[in-house]
Structures are given as C-alpha cells and as structure tokens.
Amino acid sequence: MHNKTLAQISQDLQAGEYSSVEVTKHFLDRIKNLDGQYNSFITVTDELALTQAKAADELRAAGNANEWTGVPMAHKDIFCTDGVRTSCASKMLDKFIAPYDSTVADNFNKVGAVSLGKTNMDEFAMGSSSESSFYGAVKNPWSEEHVPGGSSGGSAAAVAARLAPGITATDTGGSIRQPASFCGVTGIKPTYGRVSRFGMISYASSLDQGGPIARTAEDAAMMLNVMAGFDKKDSTSIERDVPDYRADLNKSVKGMTIGLPKEYFSSDLDPVMAQTIQDAIKEYEKMGATLKEISLPNTNLCVPAYYVIAPSECSANLSRMDGVRFGHRCEDPKDIEDLFKRSRSEGFGDEVQRRIMLGSYALSAGFYDAYYKKAQQVRRLIKNDFVAAFNDVDVIMSPVAPSPAFKFGEKSKDPVSMYLEDIYTLSTNLAGLPGMSIPAGMINDLPVGLQLIGNYFDESRLLNCAHQFQNATDWHTKTPTGLK
Amino acid sequence: MSLDTNQVLAIADLSRLQIDEKSITEFQTNLSNVLDLVDQLQAVDTTGIEPMAHPMDAVQRLRADVVTEVNQREKFQKIAPSTDNGHYLVPKVVE
Amino acid sequence: MEWEVVIGLEIHAQLATKSKIFSGSSTEYGADANTQANIYDLGLPGVLPVFNEEALRMAVKFGLAIDAEIGMKSVFDRKNYFYPDSPKGYQITQLHEPIVGMGHIDIDLGEGKSRRINVTRAHLEEDAGKSVHEGFDGQSGIDLNRCGTPLIEIVSEPELRSSKEASAYFRKMQSIVTYLGICDGDLSQGSMRCDCNVSLRPKGQEEFGTRTEIKNVNSFKNVERAIEVEIERQMDILEDGGSIKQETRLFDADKNETRSMRSKEVENDYRYFPDPDLLPVIIDEEYVEAVRSTLPELPEQKKARFEAEHGLSAYNASVLAANREMADYFEVAAEIAGDYKMAANWVMGDLSAALNKNEISISEIPVSAEQLGAILKNVKGSDISNDGAKEVFSAIWQGKGAGLENPVDQLIDQLGLKQVSDTSAIEEVVAQVLADNPKLVEGYLNTPEDKRAKAIGPFIGATRKAAKGVNPQVVMEVLKQKLSELG
C-alpha cells in the first residue's frame, strides 16, 4: 500500500479498495516501525489522524467525499497546526502548542486530508542538511551516512522511505528542491506569493514559500492544488486565479525551448554531475524540446546577496522568541535582559544564532547601505537576468546542487561550505520564481535531481515538464536499497 | 572583513544572545568568513538600481476596519511560561 | 548670556479605528488585560500583518488638514528593539517614506494672535502594550491589549520657542484631530501623548544646541511644566560652563523635575529595514480627492467664518472654534437665539463656568443647544431678563425640565420670569404709582434737570413692586415720558 502514489491512494479510496482508517493505520505503523531509523518525524499525531480518517470514511459512506477525503499526508513542522506542537525543530518551540492553524494546514483539513504528523527539519529552516534539528539529525533513506538535505529533510526522507505519500515543505533558498534531490523525490517551490505564508513560521519573509514534496509530479500537482491560492491573511499573497495543476500534465513538450545557463554548467561543476544532468536534459531533446544556452551573469552574486537578505530578515523575525508569551524561558532570570538573553541562547542552536547575529550586523547603523541595501539592489539585477532569459526560453534547467547528498558532519563545521551548497537554488528565491526538483539520475548509488525553473506563475508548465520526464524515465520509481 | 571579539559581543548583545567564553572564537571565525563571502557585493556597481524588497513588486492590500477576533486569552496563556491575573509576567521592568 | 529656547514636539495620536492597524482585534479602551490581544498582537510565530484601510484614510485626512504633502507611496519599516511590551521584538513604523510629509498649522497665542508652525512629517505606526508594576509580587505584568492600536506620530519642526507655544501647538493638534474625528483626543487615557525635544542656544546663533527628549508627557499643563523645568535645568548647566548630554528624560510631575531614563540609552541601534511582510502602500489622486471631500470645516476656517459672518472678536472666535463640539453647540444655540454675540458671551461665560464647576465636558452638558437657544431667544425678545435666563438655564441643568413638553417656556412661566413689556399695561401701573406718590413726584419735579436721572430710581422700584415681571427698560421709558409730561 505504501508504494502507491498519492494519486493512486486517492483513486483506491474513491473506488472503495480500502478505507481511510486502513491506509492511515498502515502509514502510522510504518512510521512507528521504521522512523527510528530515519528520524524524519518530530511529532506523530496518531490519535488525531485516526479521528480524521474515521470522519473521512463516514463522509465517503454518506456520499460526500472528494478526491482528498481520507488521503494521508503530513506537514513540515514549520506549519502551525491548532492544538499540535509546532516546534520548527527548535528547543525554543519544544513546548509550543500552536493555538491556530496555518492556512496550508487549514486547506488540507478543509478538503478532508488526514495528517499523520509533523516532519523534522533544520532548526527554523536554516540549513541544507537537516542536521541542526533539536530533535536530532534526519537520515537519508538511501544511505545512513548521508544527509537527506535541508531544510525540509524530514519531509523528503519520509516520502522517500514511504512513510507518507506526500508532505508539505518550505523553500527559502532551496529547502524543498535540494532535499528532494538528495532523497530521490519530487518537490516544487511555487512562485513567491502563490502559497499563503500565514501560519508558516517565518525564516526570511521575502524568500519563504511553501510547496509539496511527493514522489511524482502528478502527486505534487495534486498537493499544490490544495496549497496554492490567494489568502487575505497574508499581505504578500497574490490575488490571482489558481489553475488545476493537473490539467496540463499530459501536454507534449514538443517545441518547448529549454534554457541552459552557462554559468551553472561552468568548469566548476563536477564532471560526473554535469554528465548526469546533460543526460537527463537529452530526454527532453528526444521528446522534441530544443536547447538554448543562456546567460545569468549575476549568478555568482546569489550566495552573497542571499546571506545578507535572509539573515537580516530572520534576525527580526526571530525576535519574537523572547521567552515572554510562549516558547522557552530560562530558569530564574535575574532581570529582563537576562530573561531575553538566556532564553534565546538556550533556545536557539548555533546556526540560528549565527544567522541572527549576521542579520543584526548587516542591519546595524552604518552598515545598512553597504549590506542590506546593496543586496536588495543586487537582487534586482538577479531578477532582471531571469526576466531577460525568459524572453527567449520557456523553462530553465540545471543541477539542483553541486553534488549528491554529502556525509554527516562534512559541511556542518564550516558554514560557508554549507552555504555554497545552495548556489543553484538561491536565485529562484531571490527572484521569486518557481523551481522544481525531479529525480534524474544516480551518482555513487545516491539520487540526483534535475532542477526546472519556470517563469512567474508557470508552475503548470514545470509540472507538465516533470510529468513528461517521469513518463519517459523511471528514476522517480527507484526505491532506496534495503527499504522495507 | 573580520570581526574582533568586542564586535562579536556587541552584535550578540544587540541580538539579545548570550555567548559563552568558549564559543566566542568560533562565532568570530564563522561570522568573519561569512562576511568575507558577502563582501563580494561591494564590487558590484549598483548605481541607479532600485533596491528590491519583494520579488513581485506588488502593492499592499487593505483590510476593512472590522473587529474579527474574539477573546481567547485562556487558550493563548496556556502556552505562556508565566502569567498571573491575565498578565504575562516578567522580571520587574522599571523606568 | 541670553538664550534662545528651541522646542520640537512629537505627538502620538491613537487613531479612532474599530480594529487594530494590522489585525482584527478590537481597539476599545479599558478591557480586561490581554482580552484584546490575539495571535497577531501577541506576535505568535507565523502570524502576518494586514493593513487597516481606515487607518490609512485617517492618516491621509490628517495630512490634508495640515496642508501637507501626501505620500503617494509609503513604506512600512521594522524598528527593532527588545522590550516585553513589544511582542514581535520590533515595531512596525514608517521611516523613510511616511504617509504624510511636510505640512503646517497655525497655533493660537491668545488675544487672537497666532503663529505658523511647520510639521515635518506624520507617519503611521503600531502602539505598544503596557507594563504594570504593582500587584505582581515584585514582577511586572504585561498587558498587550493596546498592542497594534494605530498611531500617527506627528513630528514638528524645531520651531517652537517657549513652553507656552509648545502647549498651544499640542492643543491645536488635539483640536485638529478631534475635528477630523480621527482621534478622541483624550489625554488622560493616553489617546494623545507628547514627547518634547528641548534645547537652548545663544541668541543669534544658528546652530542648534544639544537636545534632550522628554518622553510621554500626558497633559497640556505638564507639557508646559516639563519644558520649563528642563529649560531651567539646561540653562543652569550651560551658565556654569557645562554641556548638555543628549538623552531621553522623564518628567516627574510630583517632584516637578525631569530625570534621565537610563534604560533607553542602550537602545540606540534600531536596525530599521522595510518590513518584508508588508508591501508598499500606493494611493492615487482620486483616492486623495475622495478623502479631501470628507474633510469637515477645520478650526482655522471656522474661526475665520465666526469673525466674518457672525461678527465675533478674534479672541471669541478662536476660543469657540477650538473645540468642535463647543463650536457646533454655539452655532445651534446662536441660530435659534438670533443673536450670535449674545450666544458667544453665554457659551464662553455662564456655560463654560458651569462646565468647569461640574467638571464635565460639553458632550455631557444637561442643557441642549436648542434649549439654550430658546432661552436666549426670550432674552433677545425681552420676554425675560438676563438674570431670568440664568435661572431657567440652571433649572434645566438641575433636571427640573424633565418630563415637560416645552421646558424653556414652561419653566419661565412656572418661575414667573416673564417680563411685562406691553407699554399700555405698564402705562397704567405707572399712572397709578405717580398718583399714589405725590410727594415723590413733587421732589422729582424740584430736582434740577441734570440730576433727575438718579431721582427716577425710586419710581422704578415702586413700579416693579406694584407689578412683578415688568421689563425695567420699558418702565424707565414710560416713567421718563410721564414725568416729563408733568413738567
């Protein structure tokens, strides 16, 4: 049952092959039996899930079901879920029982989906390896020695380990695409403003965007249909109709122009990775797409611009974690300053503290123009590169990351080397464009993803390209060796 | 750009973080390395480029002036570290 | 040395919206602690701000009222600082692109004199919560009900030159915001608060001296007092050859002194940056014109009209126009009375005295403008005397008109205040009085012409004794006529 895709489970439930309670129990059992190995969940809401599943079965019996009724899924532990701990993988929020639902969680509740629990991640979504979680690192189901990527490592690992057919995630600089690539699953980061950020704990407000991780493009489309949409509770949400993301899946890619940024395929790129990606792109040529070299001249500025903007925004976003109204509070504070400082230092891990300090520094008097303002100007240059490129091409393709999954501890000691992991994914967040990762090959028995970058609001085209690739290849059906 | 110990401590203070003695050097090194990385920005000519705060260049939407929230104090204070008589408690703040 | 005082004020005015600036929580004053603090106001993880259209409209209205440039694009920034009453660890405000730019107001300096003061800017921001220091066993209690109440911070140019000018400026701002209906202007509830920037410089010097900022002064009187003691303090230091430290100070009204607020000194790097959860607010000419069309007549315009149309003195006009309710009351009463000057004297005299004595505001007055108008109409028509008018006014104030269909007329009757002004009736009475007092008449006739005015007094007394409620002016005229007929 767990090898079925979300779309298949939805069909089976509609056909009465099994009940929601049965499929929910099946996944809950799998999590219980196998997740000790992966640590991909922080909280499993078994009781709640079974209650939802029962209600779903009753709805179906009454003839009031839709395609989502009773379908199991899970949420990254960054989405607030009313009455359920929402920790962001931080000690700071270890006891934070969210008193409200994020719009994304609410949307899934409304369509009658069943939530199995909350998945592990890098603390406050800051990281590319899911090693910084207060609840311990997530293991890559393909190899115990390797990281699952981050920050949505728990979501990607759990989908890869067949612990849930589809899981929500977020992407601020590659946090959906890079773990999807490392774990051999499919993930899409939509256009900025497409998915409501209300109730999604902010890391960097102008870059954060929610999206799904699933096994196939079709499943991702099905999830995005629930996640996307205008939300009046989020000022940055875009008021624009949401198409049915499954409608275009079967379109031909014939005649489509694919842009290949020369800066992404420079001599710095590992030749094996380059070959793997080129091979994948050849599939599109076979299907009738044409390739075109393009230039994104400011690519080398993405990492520096990102590591000014994201820390600056996060330094303010995380100020509310002060030990006064919720979250961790230190023992016996001697005065208010002591309460703030010790609560925060005890509550936050090193990487979070580093980014807060970096942001405080970049925004501080005398440095604002040199750092923050400069980075925002460079951000426009980066966006302009893409706007120009999309005059000539329909979709851009590239590697997701410089390498397949790296080993635990390999980069966590040196933040800069970790930051450079995001070199191919950051630009889409800075520009606000949609990006996707689909399984496209293997290197040293580890999966490798192909990144698809689309024009604004062109998610349907990305999903279409991904689906066509998945019709022609079987990378997305590969199972981690030894998976039960 | 490299930061000295006092700068690190000043930034930590501004951020309301308490850094213990033995991690100062590590923070100092790591933060300095990141600043070296971001200093690449300084070489870029951005004359006349409008800073971009938002990817979409969209405009603020307005909310009607209507009271939509009801009192949920009890629910919210359940997750608070310390409350008394409806107030959140903190060590005495005096002017 | 002769010193020149330089004062600039920053006034915070709470906008009278129903809900908060970025959330749907109520802004009502006086609710139980934290019952109006919801997920947004508590700054819970994941919440996002959405801007209240009414706060925008009110701010634009204010800008138009002070003839200011309106920010067609305004941007919200985060001002970062940690304090337990600031739940997000930053305040949403407007730094570089405020909604209201340079404008000006005219302040009233008494005796009809006024002076123009430029207003640098006014920006939108959210209010903070409150800390309560008593009753929590040595700890502080935090109430976040006020968090997110919309404010406009109105910043003046440093053009005020005395404590009197400063309080006149504050008063004028209160008058304007209440006229506009964008703030209730209640200083005692903190709806309006004032920070005073004060510095001294040698007379003739262009460069400003070092200033201090006195935070949160909460009454007109205290603005004057705080500034006066601060001027004195600074002058003492400067005269002694010392220098002023730029700092934030607090006014202690009980001790009548200002003192340094050390806790604020560490907070000087606010790390402002545009709030990424909010987008630029863009308005167009059409919007501005629509708001302009809703502007009421403002104190300045009203004052000018009172002078021109109703012939009031500059002083009376400015006093009456300062308070919109008072001005409205005056106009209604005057219209009915048919005498604007008399109504002005009454409102500024007896009515204001009664309000002060009872410590109530014009909105709570038990005598309606229509009733005062009716009373004064009787005076105007000589149906009652001015003293009679006071009696009716006071009777209605005390509730004696309750249940009466037409309290003014009925009370005049009940209290016997009606004056007899009918000449023929009075002639009869006078004829009788003269007939009854031959000696007095003889005495009068023997009085030289130039002293007769005084000698007429006893006849008036006798006439009024004989017939209660006669109009003394008519009596006087009839008496003069009759007596002159006798010789």
PDB file of all heavy atoms in Angstrom, chain C residues 421-447:
ATOM      1  N   SER C 421     -43.801  93.638  28.929  1.00  0.00           N
ATOM      2  CA  SER C 421     -43.178  94.652  28.082  1.00  0.00           C
ATOM      3  C   SER C 421     -44.224  95.456  27.338  1.00  0.00           C
ATOM      4  O   SER C 421     -43.916  96.382  26.611  1.00  0.00           O
ATOM      5  CB  SER C 421     -42.239  93.988  27.075  1.00  0.00           C
ATOM      6  OG  SER C 421     -41.242  93.275  27.766  1.00  0.00           O
ATOM      7  N   ASP C 422     -45.494  95.093  27.601  1.00  0.00           N
ATOM      8  CA  ASP C 422     -46.597  95.765  26.938  1.00  0.00           C
ATOM      9  C   ASP C 422     -46.713  97.199  27.493  1.00  0.00           C
ATOM     10  O   ASP C 422     -47.041  97.420  28.663  1.00  0.00           O
ATOM     11  CB  ASP C 422     -47.870  94.950  27.255  1.00  0.00           C
ATOM     12  CG  ASP C 422     -49.106  95.576  26.659  1.00  0.00           C
ATOM     13  OD1 ASP C 422     -48.996  96.723  26.174  1.00  0.00           O
ATOM     14  OD2 ASP C 422     -50.157  94.930  26.692  1.00  0.00           O
ATOM     15  N   THR C 423     -46.450  98.210  26.666  1.00  0.00           N
ATOM     16  CA  THR C 423     -46.353  99.597  27.113  1.00  0.00           C
ATOM     17  C   THR C 423     -47.649 100.105  27.764  1.00  0.00           C
ATOM     18  O   THR C 423     -47.613 100.712  28.837  1.00  0.00           O
ATOM     19  CB  THR C 423     -45.978 100.507  25.940  1.00  0.00           C
ATOM     20  OG1 THR C 423     -44.943  99.873  25.207  1.00  0.00           O
ATOM     21  CG2 THR C 423     -45.495 101.867  26.424  1.00  0.00           C
ATOM     22  N   SER C 424     -48.810  99.762  27.169  1.00  0.00           N
ATOM     23  CA  SER C 424     -50.056 100.304  27.703  1.00  0.00           C
ATOM     24  C   SER C 424     -50.344  99.779  29.109  1.00  0.00           C
ATOM     25  O   SER C 424     -50.812 100.517  29.985  1.00  0.00           O
ATOM     26  CB  SER C 424     -51.217  99.999  26.764  1.00  0.00           C
ATOM     27  OG  SER C 424     -51.389  98.609  26.651  1.00  0.00           O
ATOM     28  N   ALA C 425     -49.994  98.479  29.315  1.00  0.00           N
ATOM     29  CA  ALA C 425     -50.184  97.891  30.643  1.00  0.00           C
ATOM     30  C   ALA C 425     -49.282  98.607  31.643  1.00  0.00           C
ATOM     31  O   ALA C 425     -49.713  98.936  32.775  1.00  0.00           O
ATOM     32  CB  ALA C 425     -49.874  96.402  30.629  1.00  0.00           C
ATOM     33  N   ILE C 426     -48.033  98.841  31.215  1.00  0.00           N
ATOM     34  CA  ILE C 426     -47.097  99.495  32.120  1.00  0.00           C
ATOM     35  C   ILE C 426     -47.526 100.955  32.388  1.00  0.00           C
ATOM     36  O   ILE C 426     -47.429 101.444  33.507  1.00  0.00           O
ATOM     37  CB  ILE C 426     -45.674  99.419  31.540  1.00  0.00           C
ATOM     38  CG1 ILE C 426     -45.205  97.956  31.603  1.00  0.00           C
ATOM     39  CG2 ILE C 426     -44.693 100.318  32.307  1.00  0.00           C
ATOM     40  CD1 ILE C 426     -43.893  97.679  30.901  1.00  0.00           C
ATOM     41  N   GLU C 427     -48.060 101.587  31.325  1.00  0.00           N
ATOM     42  CA  GLU C 427     -48.516 102.981  31.498  1.00  0.00           C
ATOM     43  C   GLU C 427     -49.551 103.094  32.607  1.00  0.00           C
ATOM     44  O   GLU C 427     -49.529 104.008  33.429  1.00  0.00           O
ATOM     45  CB  GLU C 427     -49.097 103.516  30.181  1.00  0.00           C
ATOM     46  CG  GLU C 427     -48.009 104.059  29.271  1.00  0.00           C
ATOM     47  CD  GLU C 427     -48.529 104.438  27.892  1.00  0.00           C
ATOM     48  OE1 GLU C 427     -49.711 104.159  27.588  1.00  0.00           O
ATOM     49  OE2 GLU C 427     -47.740 104.996  27.103  1.00  0.00           O
ATOM     50  N   GLU C 428     -50.427 102.100  32.625  1.00  0.00           N
ATOM     51  CA  GLU C 428     -51.474 102.104  33.674  1.00  0.00           C
ATOM     52  C   GLU C 428     -50.866 102.037  35.057  1.00  0.00           C
ATOM     53  O   GLU C 428     -51.219 102.772  35.961  1.00  0.00           O
ATOM     54  CB  GLU C 428     -52.396 100.891  33.496  1.00  0.00           C
ATOM     55  CG  GLU C 428     -53.641 101.184  32.689  1.00  0.00           C
ATOM     56  CD  GLU C 428     -54.493  99.935  32.521  1.00  0.00           C
ATOM     57  OE1 GLU C 428     -54.730  99.243  33.553  1.00  0.00           O
ATOM     58  OE2 GLU C 428     -54.889  99.631  31.367  1.00  0.00           O
ATOM     59  N   VAL C 429     -49.915 101.105  35.199  1.00  0.00           N
ATOM     60  CA  VAL C 429     -49.282 100.911  36.508  1.00  0.00           C
ATOM     61  C   VAL C 429     -48.541 102.182  36.911  1.00  0.00           C
ATOM     62  O   VAL C 429     -48.661 102.663  38.050  1.00  0.00           O
ATOM     63  CB  VAL C 429     -48.288  99.719  36.479  1.00  0.00           C
ATOM     64  CG1 VAL C 429     -47.648  99.529  37.851  1.00  0.00           C
ATOM     65  CG2 VAL C 429     -48.991  98.452  36.047  1.00  0.00           C
ATOM     66  N   VAL C 430     -47.811 102.766  35.945  1.00  0.00           N
ATOM     67  CA  VAL C 430     -47.024 103.963  36.244  1.00  0.00           C
ATOM     68  C   VAL C 430     -47.948 105.108  36.674  1.00  0.00           C
ATOM     69  O   VAL C 430     -47.686 105.806  37.662  1.00  0.00           O
ATOM     70  CB  VAL C 430     -46.164 104.358  35.015  1.00  0.00           C
ATOM     71  CG1 VAL C 430     -45.568 105.770  35.207  1.00  0.00           C
ATOM     72  CG2 VAL C 430     -45.051 103.339  34.803  1.00  0.00           C
ATOM     73  N   ALA C 431     -49.070 105.242  35.954  1.00  0.00           N
ATOM     74  CA  ALA C 431     -50.021 106.307  36.291  1.00  0.00           C
ATOM     75  C   ALA C 431     -50.490 106.156  37.734  1.00  0.00           C
ATOM     76  O   ALA C 431     -50.564 107.138  38.502  1.00  0.00           O
ATOM     77  CB  ALA C 431     -51.214 106.248  35.337  1.00  0.00           C
ATOM     78  N   GLN C 432     -50.715 104.896  38.099  1.00  0.00           N
ATOM     79  CA  GLN C 432     -51.166 104.606  39.463  1.00  0.00           C
ATOM     80  C   GLN C 432     -50.086 104.972  40.484  1.00  0.00           C
ATOM     81  O   GLN C 432     -50.332 105.582  41.515  1.00  0.00           O
ATOM     82  CB  GLN C 432     -51.524 103.114  39.581  1.00  0.00           C
ATOM     83  CG  GLN C 432     -52.274 102.746  40.856  1.00  0.00           C
ATOM     84  CD  GLN C 432     -53.585 103.515  40.978  1.00  0.00           C
ATOM     85  OE1 GLN C 432     -54.399 103.572  40.053  1.00  0.00           O
ATOM     86  NE2 GLN C 432     -53.815 104.172  42.113  1.00  0.00           N
ATOM     87  N   VAL C 433     -48.807 104.577  40.140  1.00  0.00           N
ATOM     88  CA  VAL C 433     -47.685 104.836  41.049  1.00  0.00           C
ATOM     89  C   VAL C 433     -47.522 106.344  41.259  1.00  0.00           C
ATOM     90  O   VAL C 433     -47.348 106.815  42.386  1.00  0.00           O
ATOM     91  CB  VAL C 433     -46.372 104.219  40.496  1.00  0.00           C
ATOM     92  CG1 VAL C 433     -45.144 104.765  41.248  1.00  0.00           C
ATOM     93  CG2 VAL C 433     -46.403 102.710  40.612  1.00  0.00           C
ATOM     94  N   LEU C 434     -47.619 107.095  40.167  1.00  0.00           N
ATOM     95  CA  LEU C 434     -47.453 108.544  40.277  1.00  0.00           C
ATOM     96  C   LEU C 434     -48.589 109.151  41.126  1.00  0.00           C
ATOM     97  O   LEU C 434     -48.359 110.037  41.952  1.00  0.00           O
ATOM     98  CB  LEU C 434     -47.427 109.196  38.896  1.00  0.00           C
ATOM     99  CG  LEU C 434     -46.271 108.760  37.979  1.00  0.00           C
ATOM    100  CD1 LEU C 434     -46.316 109.533  36.663  1.00  0.00           C
ATOM    101  CD2 LEU C 434     -44.915 108.984  38.654  1.00  0.00           C
ATOM    102  N   ALA C 435     -49.804 108.597  40.911  1.00  0.00           N
ATOM    103  CA  ALA C 435     -50.950 109.092  41.666  1.00  0.00           C
ATOM    104  C   ALA C 435     -50.790 108.787  43.154  1.00  0.00           C
ATOM    105  O   ALA C 435     -51.158 109.585  44.012  1.00  0.00           O
ATOM    106  CB  ALA C 435     -52.232 108.475  41.133  1.00  0.00           C
ATOM    107  N   ASP C 436     -50.197 107.625  43.451  1.00  0.00           N
ATOM    108  CA  ASP C 436     -50.066 107.192  44.842  1.00  0.00           C
ATOM    109  C   ASP C 436     -48.928 107.892  45.574  1.00  0.00           C
ATOM    110  O   ASP C 436     -48.854 107.840  46.804  1.00  0.00           O
ATOM    111  CB  ASP C 436     -49.801 105.679  44.924  1.00  0.00           C
ATOM    112  CG  ASP C 436     -51.041 104.878  44.514  1.00  0.00           C
ATOM    113  OD1 ASP C 436     -52.104 105.503  44.352  1.00  0.00           O
ATOM    114  OD2 ASP C 436     -50.908 103.644  44.327  1.00  0.00           O
ATOM    115  N   ASN C 437     -47.977 108.506  44.831  1.00  0.00           N
ATOM    116  CA  ASN C 437     -46.799 109.084  45.481  1.00  0.00           C
ATOM    117  C   ASN C 437     -46.592 110.557  45.104  1.00  0.00           C
ATOM    118  O   ASN C 437     -45.577 110.930  44.510  1.00  0.00           O
ATOM    119  CB  ASN C 437     -45.539 108.299  45.110  1.00  0.00           C
ATOM    120  CG  ASN C 437     -45.612 106.841  45.581  1.00  0.00           C
ATOM    121  OD1 ASN C 437     -45.440 106.573  46.764  1.00  0.00           O
ATOM    122  ND2 ASN C 437     -45.909 105.937  44.656  1.00  0.00           N
ATOM    123  N   PRO C 438     -47.549 111.420  45.491  1.00  0.00           N
ATOM    124  CA  PRO C 438     -47.454 112.830  45.089  1.00  0.00           C
ATOM    125  C   PRO C 438     -46.176 113.490  45.604  1.00  0.00           C
ATOM    126  O   PRO C 438     -45.598 114.329  44.933  1.00  0.00           O
ATOM    127  CB  PRO C 438     -48.696 113.452  45.710  1.00  0.00           C
ATOM    128  CG  PRO C 438     -49.209 112.479  46.708  1.00  0.00           C
ATOM    129  CD  PRO C 438     -48.729 111.137  46.323  1.00  0.00           C
ATOM    130  N   LYS C 439     -45.717 113.091  46.809  1.00  0.00           N
ATOM    131  CA  LYS C 439     -44.541 113.743  47.378  1.00  0.00           C
ATOM    132  C   LYS C 439     -43.304 113.433  46.549  1.00  0.00           C
ATOM    133  O   LYS C 439     -42.454 114.295  46.305  1.00  0.00           O
ATOM    134  CB  LYS C 439     -44.307 113.290  48.827  1.00  0.00           C
ATOM    135  CG  LYS C 439     -45.213 114.059  49.772  1.00  0.00           C
ATOM    136  CD  LYS C 439     -44.885 113.770  51.225  1.00  0.00           C
ATOM    137  CE  LYS C 439     -45.858 114.548  52.108  1.00  0.00           C
ATOM    138  NZ  LYS C 439     -46.045 113.892  53.408  1.00  0.00           N
ATOM    139  N   LEU C 440     -43.221 112.205  46.169  1.00  0.00           N
ATOM    140  CA  LEU C 440     -42.077 111.794  45.345  1.00  0.00           C
ATOM    141  C   LEU C 440     -42.069 112.567  44.030  1.00  0.00           C
ATOM    142  O   LEU C 440     -41.039 113.038  43.565  1.00  0.00           O
ATOM    143  CB  LEU C 440     -42.148 110.295  45.030  1.00  0.00           C
ATOM    144  CG  LEU C 440     -41.425 109.329  45.970  1.00  0.00           C
ATOM    145  CD1 LEU C 440     -41.623 107.901  45.485  1.00  0.00           C
ATOM    146  CD2 LEU C 440     -39.925 109.661  46.033  1.00  0.00           C
ATOM    147  N   VAL C 441     -43.271 112.736  43.468  1.00  0.00           N
ATOM    148  CA  VAL C 441     -43.396 113.446  42.197  1.00  0.00           C
ATOM    149  C   VAL C 441     -42.955 114.895  42.385  1.00  0.00           C
ATOM    150  O   VAL C 441     -42.187 115.422  41.578  1.00  0.00           O
ATOM    151  CB  VAL C 441     -44.841 113.384  41.668  1.00  0.00           C
ATOM    152  CG1 VAL C 441     -45.013 114.252  40.431  1.00  0.00           C
ATOM    153  CG2 VAL C 441     -45.242 111.951  41.382  1.00  0.00           C
ATOM    154  N   GLU C 442     -43.400 115.481  43.486  1.00  0.00           N
ATOM    155  CA  GLU C 442     -43.042 116.864  43.758  1.00  0.00           C
ATOM    156  C   GLU C 442     -41.528 116.997  43.878  1.00  0.00           C
ATOM    157  O   GLU C 442     -40.909 117.891  43.288  1.00  0.00           O
ATOM    158  CB  GLU C 442     -43.721 117.323  45.054  1.00  0.00           C
ATOM    159  CG  GLU C 442     -43.920 118.827  45.130  1.00  0.00           C
ATOM    160  CD  GLU C 442     -44.477 119.244  46.499  1.00  0.00           C
ATOM    161  OE1 GLU C 442     -45.380 118.534  47.006  1.00  0.00           O
ATOM    162  OE2 GLU C 442     -43.983 120.238  47.032  1.00  0.00           O
ATOM    163  N   GLY C 443     -40.966 116.079  44.676  1.00  0.00           N
ATOM    164  CA  GLY C 443     -39.497 116.067  44.862  1.00  0.00           C
ATOM    165  C   GLY C 443     -38.771 115.965  43.532  1.00  0.00           C
ATOM    166  O   GLY C 443     -37.789 116.643  43.289  1.00  0.00           O
ATOM    167  N   TYR C 444     -39.273 115.083  42.685  1.00  0.00           N
ATOM    168  CA  TYR C 444     -38.645 114.879  41.377  1.00  0.00           C
ATOM    169  C   TYR C 444     -38.681 116.138  40.548  1.00  0.00           C
ATOM    170  O   TYR C 444     -37.660 116.560  39.967  1.00  0.00           O
ATOM    171  CB  TYR C 444     -39.356 113.732  40.630  1.00  0.00           C
ATOM    172  CG  TYR C 444     -38.825 113.488  39.235  1.00  0.00           C
ATOM    173  CD1 TYR C 444     -37.695 112.682  39.039  1.00  0.00           C
ATOM    174  CD2 TYR C 444     -39.430 114.088  38.117  1.00  0.00           C
ATOM    175  CE1 TYR C 444     -37.217 112.476  37.764  1.00  0.00           C
ATOM    176  CE2 TYR C 444     -38.963 113.884  36.852  1.00  0.00           C
ATOM    177  CZ  TYR C 444     -37.844 113.059  36.660  1.00  0.00           C
ATOM    178  OH  TYR C 444     -37.359 112.846  35.393  1.00  0.00           O
ATOM    179  N   LEU C 445     -39.840 116.781  40.542  1.00  0.00           N
ATOM    180  CA  LEU C 445     -40.009 117.958  39.711  1.00  0.00           C
ATOM    181  C   LEU C 445     -39.135 119.112  40.195  1.00  0.00           C
ATOM    182  O   LEU C 445     -38.754 119.984  39.423  1.00  0.00           O
ATOM    183  CB  LEU C 445     -41.485 118.376  39.667  1.00  0.00           C
ATOM    184  CG  LEU C 445     -42.390 117.366  38.934  1.00  0.00           C
ATOM    185  CD1 LEU C 445     -43.866 117.796  39.047  1.00  0.00           C
ATOM    186  CD2 LEU C 445     -41.994 117.241  37.469  1.00  0.00           C
ATOM    187  N   ASN C 446     -38.810 119.069  41.503  1.00  0.00           N
ATOM    188  CA  ASN C 446     -37.957 120.118  42.047  1.00  0.00           C
ATOM    189  C   ASN C 446     -36.471 119.831  41.826  1.00  0.00           C
ATOM    190  O   ASN C 446     -35.613 120.666  42.126  1.00  0.00           O
ATOM    191  CB  ASN C 446     -38.201 120.297  43.543  1.00  0.00           C
ATOM    192  CG  ASN C 446     -39.573 120.919  43.794  1.00  0.00           C
ATOM    193  OD1 ASN C 446     -40.095 121.628  42.923  1.00  0.00           O
ATOM    194  ND2 ASN C 446     -40.142 120.649  44.948  1.00  0.00           N
ATOM    195  N   THR C 447     -36.166 118.660  41.372  1.00  0.00           N
ATOM    196  CA  THR C 447     -34.768 118.281  41.127  1.00  0.00           C
ATOM    197  C   THR C 447     -34.296 118.922  39.830  1.00  0.00           C
ATOM    198  O   THR C 447     -35.029 118.913  38.830  1.00  0.00           O
ATOM    199  CB  THR C 447     -34.638 116.748  40.986  1.00  0.00           C
ATOM    200  OG1 THR C 447     -35.281 116.147  42.083  1.00  0.00           O
ATOM    201  CG2 THR C 447     -33.181 116.309  40.926  1.00  0.00           C
TER     202      THR C 447
END
